[in-house]
Amino acid sequence: MSSIRSYLLIAVLSAITLTSFVAALYGYRAGVAAADALFDAELTNAAILISTLLPAQAQASDPVPALPSSEVSFQVWNDAGHLLLRSANAPQTPMAPFEPGLRADNFGGHRWQILVRREPAAGHWVMVAQRADTRYLLADSVVRESLLAQLAALPVSAVLIWLIVGHGLRRLDRLAGALRSKAADDLAPLQLAEPPTELAVIVSAVNGLLQRLEQSLGRERRLTADAAHELRTPIAALKVHLHNLAGRLPADDPVLVRLHADTARLEHLIAQILLLYRMAPDQYQARMEPLDLTELAREQIAAHYPQFEHKQQDVRLEGEGQTLVGDRFALATLLQNLLVNANRYTPVGGHIRVSCGPLPGGGALLQVSDSGPGLPAAEHERVFDRFYRQVGARHNDPAGSGLGLSIARLVADLHGATIRFAASPFETGLTVSVEFPARRNA
């Protein structure tokens, strides 16, 4: 069962119902025993009363009177076995053997409890009987009323249990609220004032997990930053050696060209790793200010224009004066990664279009479209994974690092924006849309 509250409600109600049933069963048996004792005493009193009221001169030769029927059936016999007196509902044969005591027997289509009593002084036998089902009416009535009261109390009990359990689970709701309110970079221990014993164990476990996670992330950040920084020095030395080597070899030497490409890719990878580390929520201190998104896009296009010109690509910027509130460096990094990807995957002589404009419901929209091979829908989420590259991209362009869109998502999250993929307006290709919400719009 997915809800603790529902589980406790059903479990407690089931326990109450079971104990009530057992108590009712015990009460029924006790009630029947008490009713038997009460009715047995009533039969004894009735037999004594009949013996007392029986005419002393009653003889066997007298006519047998049949007294009106009542809840009690009786007969009076003499020692010779002749019937002297009976009720209208009693048979003319003995209801039971002439043996003193209580017994059960059947006559008249019913089960009867019969008392046989000998009156030695008068020489009479008195038999008094009562229907067995009458005996159970009292016990049945008591048990029925008890069960009805318990059934009527079940809904009330359910409401009370639901409220009580809900009150008890409020501390759990507070714990969940404390966890939900934590920011992505907040790994500080949870602080709950005097948590109950059951929650204290959970709070302790969560705090231990947060501590281990903080230590692990700290080690990862230090390793990434240190490795990237330390690799800059050998890369710079490698570039110096390549420059010296280039003076001795032809410019089109395949080994030299490959070394230049690999060095450029390694340098780009290190720069992207450092940028990814810098853009992490727990590291980056954003400076939000009103910006012209269109002007920022124009600056980035101009900065990367040599790359577009090298592949003879047609680059166009559409839109006028779209402003929003954002961090200049972060948004420039976002545009840089989107433009580099468009340049990388668009073939020679292809088309790239950058547009900035308002969203219909408020906010700003940035779109970068290209005429490249496009992106299958199955990879729309995977491309945001670190170091993931589209199938075939590693062979078509070995300079990529697989970190560009991961960084772009970090920037988008920083601004509360959403990145979506759609078909390009060109015959082939991809459109990357970044939707900035109205609250960020200037």
Side-chain angles (χ1 to χ4, degrees):
M1 186 172 293
S2 58
S3 171
I4 296 178
R5 197 175 192 179
S6 300
Y7 169 77
L8 290 176
L9 174 64
I10 294 174
V12 174
L13 277 182
S14 300
I16 291 176
T17 304
L18 179 60
T19 53
S20 299
F21 173 77
V22 173
L25 181 60
Y26 176 80
Y28 177 77
R29 296 182 64 180
V32 169
D36 283 341
L38 179 63
F39 286 122
D40 288 345
E42 183 180 334
L43 287 179
T44 302
N45 292 333
I48 294 173
L49 180 62
I50 292 171
S51 298
T52 303
L53 298 178
L54 184 67
Q57 67 275 15
Q59 301 295 326
S61 59
D62 295 341
V64 179
L67 299 181
S69 175
S70 66
E71 292 184 357
V72 177
S73 176
F74 66 90
Q75 295 174 332
V76 180
W77 299 79
N78 61 14
D79 288 336
H82 296 287
L83 181 61
L84 301 179
L85 188 67
R86 71 180 178 89
S87 60
N89 57 352
Q92 294 189 6
T93 57
M95 294 187 294
F98 291 95
E99 297 176 0
L102 283 166
R103 57 181 51 83
D105 208 340
N106 297 324
F107 64 84
H110 297 285
R111 187 74 172 171
W112 298 78
Q113 186 75 2
I114 306 170
L115 171 67
V116 180
R117 182 182 175 86
R118 174 80 168 88
E119 295 294 341
H124 296 157
W125 289 86
V126 179
M127 299 183 182
V128 184
Q130 187 178 48
R131 280 174 51 174
D133 54 355
T134 304
R135 290 174 159 253
Y136 298 118
L137 290 178
L138 178 61
D140 288 349
S141 176
V142 173
V143 173
R144 187 185 309 112
E145 293 298 328
S146 175
L147 286 177
L148 289 176
Q150 291 175 4
L151 288 175
L154 280 180
V156 179
S157 301
V159 173
L160 291 176
I161 294 170
W162 183 265
L163 295 176
I164 292 171
V165 171
H167 184 269
L169 291 176
R170 282 184 180 177
R171 294 291 185 90
L172 191 59
D173 293 336
R174 293 197 195 106
L175 175 60
L179 288 172
R180 282 194 297 267
S181 63
K182 274 187 168 293
D185 57 341
D186 183 10
L187 297 178
L190 291 172
Q191 300 293 336
L192 288 183
E194 298 182 357
T197 305
E198 294 79 6
L199 277 187
V201 179
I202 300 177
V203 172
S204 176
V206 170
N207 286 339
L209 175 63
L210 290 175
Q211 183 180 11
R212 293 191 299 273
L213 184 60
E214 184 177 19
Q215 293 172 352
S216 176
L217 291 177
R219 288 192 297 268
E220 179 186 350
R221 288 192 295 265
R222 287 191 298 270
L223 175 63
T224 303
D226 294 346
H229 279 292
E230 291 299 323
L231 284 175
R232 280 185 164 183
T233 301
I235 290 297
L238 182 60
K239 291 178 69 176
V240 171
H241 291 307
L242 281 176
H243 178 74
N244 295 334
L245 186 61
R248 303 177 185 179
L249 297 175
D252 58 351
D253 184 274
V255 175
L256 184 63
V257 172
R258 180 63 181 271
L259 284 175
H260 275 297
D262 289 344
T263 304
R265 179 180 181 276
L266 186 57
E267 185 178 26
H268 175 70
L269 176 61
I270 293 173
Q272 290 288 78
I273 291 175
L274 284 173
L275 189 57
L276 184 68
Y277 167 73
R278 183 179 179 184
M279 296 304 301
D282 58 338
Q283 296 291 328
Y284 190 72
Q285 300 295 326
R287 296 179 57 185
M288 298 298 179
E289 58 180 325
L291 298 171
D292 187 339
L293 184 61
T294 308
E295 182 61 29
L296 194 60
R298 184 177 291 110
E299 293 174 3
Q300 290 301 312
I301 292 174
H304 294 83
Y305 193 79
Q307 300 175 26
F308 301 127
E309 188 177 29
H310 177 72
K311 296 182 71 173
Q312 302 176 4
Q313 294 168 339
D314 176 32
V315 184
R316 295 186 181 182
L317 174 62
E318 299 178 354
E320 295 291 339
Q322 180 58 47
T323 58
L324 56 76
V325 175
D327 182 90
R328 176 177 292 275
F329 175 79
L331 290 176
T333 302
L334 170 69
L335 279 162
Q336 173 186 337
N337 279 284
L338 295 181
L339 289 172
V340 168
N341 275 354
N343 167 256
R344 179 174 295 132
Y345 293 107
T346 301
V348 176
H351 303 277
I352 298 174
R353 185 173 69 186
V354 181
S355 63
C356 303
L359 284 171
L365 174 64
L366 168 67
Q367 289 185 318
V368 178
S369 304
D370 60 57
S371 59
L375 181 67
E379 298 190 32
H380 282 187
E381 282 299 320
R382 295 197 63 190
V383 292
F384 292 110
D385 295 340
R386 297 179 182 182
F387 301 106
Y388 176 80
R389 300 188 65 193
Q390 186 181 356
V391 177
R394 190 175 301 274
H395 302 287
N396 296 335
D397 182 19
S401 64
L403 293 174
L405 287 176
S406 298
I407 297 172
R409 170 166 275 187
L410 287 177
V411 176
D413 292 342
L414 180 68
H415 292 79
T418 304
I419 299 180
R420 304 183 191 278
F421 299 108
S424 170
F426 305 111
E427 293 183 3
T428 62
L430 176 71
T431 295
V432 182
S433 301
V434 185
E435 302 174 0
F436 297 90
R439 62 186 178 88
R440 295 288 186 184
N441 195 25

